Amino acid sequence: RKEVEQDPGPFNVPEGATVAFNCTYSNSASQSFFWYRQDCRKEPKLLMSVYSSGNEDGRFTAQLNRASQYISLLIRDSKLSDSATYLCVVHRDDKIIFGKGTRLHILP
Amino acid sequence: GAGVSQSPSNKVTEKGKDVELRCDPISGHTALYWYRQSLGQGLEFLIYFQGNSAPDKSGLPSDRFSAERTGGSVSTLTIQRTQQEDSAVYLCASSLVYSGNTIYFGEGSWLTVV
């Protein structure tokens, strides 16, 4: 089993819809969690950190479920510009692991 | 600039030649990372530095790959005797310290081996 797993997608979602995807991690010692966004042929960029209590930034909501060992990202009122690959990142003291990413296509 | 800077942006080299890729991290960042990404694939971890030390070199694909960091700042990734399968974008990143902090990426060095 991979340490960090994401559904590769693609998720094809109409503009304006709400979409959510999860990222599961296998090591309970994982401490910090992040979501990154990567556009085609560009470098990954931080979208948001994931806090234990959950956090929101505009249309984006990130949540952490330590009991079930997953993090989630919810995008409301999706825009065409949200089309990208979303990477989850899990940090432990001794390791940083990037998921392979979930591809999201927002359809007009 | 304030971000992670990489050079060259693009490099086309002949099979068998050596290449050197450079990374200038964000000022004050003690951790520096090298990743590789082939088109349509996920990030492949190569190596990271904390200061000038490389505690984890486990991701280097072969002994043709080496990296160094001097003065706790600039890092160089060297690929000797390049092969076609080395063609990829090589991404450098940095963070304040290893683990727990936001990692910032450079724009990458696109390597094509012909």
Side-chain angles (χ1 to χ4, degrees):
Chain A
R1 183 185 172 189
K2 292 179 185 173
E3 266 206 78
V4 174
E5 292 202 72
Q6 295 185 252
D7 183 338
F11 284 48
N12 296 309
V13 173
E15 192 175 8
T18 295
V19 60
F21 21 84
N22 291 340
C23 166
T24 60
Y25 60 96
S26 61
N27 194 312
S28 60
S30 301
Q31 297 170 318
S32 303
F33 308 87
F34 302 83
W35 282 105
Y36 277 69
R37 171 197 169 119
Q38 186 173 26
D39 292 292
C40 188
R41 301 182 72 84
K42 296 286 189 181
E43 75 277 18
K45 292 183 179 176
L46 177 70
L47 179 64
M48 57 198 303
S49 304
V50 185
Y51 302 126
S52 298
S53 54
N55 49 300
E56 191 174 303
D57 182 2
R59 298 182 293 108
F60 298 83
T61 300
Q63 292 198 311
L64 166 63
N65 186 318
R66 285 198 183 271
S68 301
Q69 295 185 194
Y70 72 87
I71 62 172
S72 64
L73 179 68
L74 179 83
I75 306 174
R76 288 182 299 279
D77 187 24
S78 53
K79 312 290 184 192
L80 294 175
S81 56
D82 295 333
S83 297
T85 297
Y86 291 83
L87 311 173
C88 68
V89 189
V90 175
H91 290 214
R92 301 199 310 250
D93 278 346
D94 62 336
K95 209 167 181 180
I96 296 171
I97 307 150
F98 279 80
K100 297 293 185 188
T102 296
R103 285 169 51 210
L104 175 65
H105 295 155
I106 304 300
L107 307 172
Chain B
V4 177
S5 178
Q6 292 189 245
S7 61
S9 302
N10 287 282
K11 175 76 175 177
V12 180
T13 191
E14 291 181 353
K15 180 181 169 181
K17 300 277 190 184
D18 296 354
V19 295
E20 205 170 85
L21 308 176
R22 176 189 164 106
C23 174
D24 201 341
I26 292 172
S27 178
H29 280 195
T30 64
L32 184 148
Y33 314 80
W34 284 100
Y35 290 88
R36 178 169 75 172
Q37 190 173 34
S38 300
L39 210 55
Q41 303 299 309
L43 291 174
E44 178 186 2
F45 169 76
L46 298 179
I47 188 171
Y48 89 89
F49 292 88
Q50 179 60 52
N52 291 334
S53 301
D56 187 358
K57 303 179 183 179
S58 63
L60 293 176
S62 73
D63 59 8
R64 296 186 295 105
F65 288 72
S66 63
E68 64 175 15
R69 188 180 186 194
T70 54
S73 183
V74 172
S75 175
T76 303
L77 177 69
T78 302
I79 309 172
Q80 295 179 309
R81 305 181 303 282
T82 52
Q83 304 294 312
Q84 287 186 325
E85 61 263 27
D86 299 335
S87 297
V89 58
Y90 289 81
L91 290 161
C92 178
S94 71
S95 62
L96 270 174
V97 293
Y98 183 75
S99 194
N101 297 113
T102 302
I103 295 173
Y104 297 90
F105 284 84
E107 294 184 349
S109 290
W110 292 80
L111 176 66
T112 304
V113 182
V114 297

